[in-house]
Amino acid sequence: MFWGLIIEPGKKYSQTVDNSFHISKATLDLSSATDEDITLLLDYEGQQEYILCHLNKTNKQESLDLNFQAGDSISLFSHGQASVHLSGYLLGDDDEDDMTLGEMMEEEEEEEDEDEEMEEKDLRATLQAKAVKRPQPEKTNGKSQKKAKVEVEEEEDEEEAEEEEESKQPPAKQLSKKQKKMQKKAQQQQQQSPKPAAPQPEKKKEGAKPADKQPKVEAPKSPAKKTLPGGLIIEDVKTGNGPESKKGDKVAVYYCGKLAKNGKQFDQSNKGPGFKFELGKGQVIKGWDLGVAGMKVGGKRKLTIPASLAYGAGGAPPQIPPNSTLVFDVELKALN
């Protein structure tokens, strides 16, 4: 869930934290900014003041990675004549949101198995019902039975007459005709049946490679696509060869974030050791905790994250509007 606070000049914002939250970014309000630098400070548990960042018209934004737990006593304030907008999100404790990618996939596979079993049972029941309702042969009346019997008797009489005629002929002539007939039939069958072609030796052209040694060109495979409960879409662009990430691992990633509706890039990290966080601990948006889990080092994924698993109805102004679906290209560089 989105969290935000506007730090106005000369005001100090103090509280004892009720709900744990994370601060992701500090942005300068250019409508009230002057040429001087604005310094954002934190007073934590009554200790010394800590400088969080310096902002000016040239450096309008700074990414932060601050977690505050319930019971922490904090004060946020600034030095300068312009307002500073802080944005982030609340850290939830929902067990369902902490599920790993592997656990969610196992649940989906179990549901698919149950669906297949139900379909098999329905099919058996349908086949049994059809077997019970199979139509019985209709009863024929006496006239049709007599007619069929007469036809059978006529056929038998014709066959007997043909046999008698053949028996009256001299045995030598009958055998001779039969042999000729069989020979003629065998010849016709031989002529009609195609003879197997003798294998012709292949002519090798100079400089030409044998056909069986030609390299096979395989069509590029489309990325494996998976939609998880909640609307998160995962596409494995490249499967890594390193160890697989799981909840509790400290991971380092390169990423590029864009708005789904227009493809506008709002954030990226593709240099140095990469962006680091602890997986499944709520240090990033929920879509990342779910989408990065199960990746192997060296692998690349495309994550399409709905607003409910990103910055919600509030967004993260000014770069991320309210109710925004986000698209991240993520590469897992390392894990501990």
Side-chain angles (χ1 to χ4, degrees), residues 62 65 143 156 227:
E62 281 289 348
D65 187 10
K143 292 182 180 179
E156 290 177 351
T227 302

Side-chain angles (χ1 to χ4, degrees), residues 220-294:
K221 296 181 180 179
S222 58
K225 197 171 183 179
K226 188 79 174 179
T227 302
L228 301 186
L232 173 63
I233 300 175
I234 296 174
E235 297 179 62
D236 278 307
V237 179
K238 177 185 176 183
T239 302
N241 297 321
E244 183 175 331
S245 61
K246 59 184 182 300
K247 182 178 179 181
D249 288 339
K250 292 183 179 179
V251 298
V253 300
Y254 282 174
Y255 69 91
C256 175
K258 298 178 182 178
L259 299 178
K261 65 178 181 179
N262 57 16
K264 183 179 179 182
Q265 180 176 314
F266 59 84
D267 197 5
Q268 71 172 353
S269 176
N270 58 6
K271 295 180 181 179
F275 177 70
K276 298 180 179 180
F277 66 97
E278 192 170 351
L279 188 60
K281 297 298 183 180
Q283 296 178 0
V284 292
I285 58 176
K286 295 176 183 178
W288 267 42
D289 272 340
L290 298 174
V292 175

Side-chain angles (χ1 to χ4, degrees), residues 140-155:
T140 58
N141 55 30
K143 292 182 180 179
S144 60
Q145 288 179 351
K146 289 180 180 178
K147 187 177 180 180
K149 187 174 182 180
V150 169
E151 290 177 353
V152 172
E153 290 178 352
E154 288 177 355
E155 291 178 358

Side-chain angles (χ1 to χ4, degrees), residues 22 153 166 297 318:
H22 177 270
E153 290 178 352
E166 290 179 357
V297 174

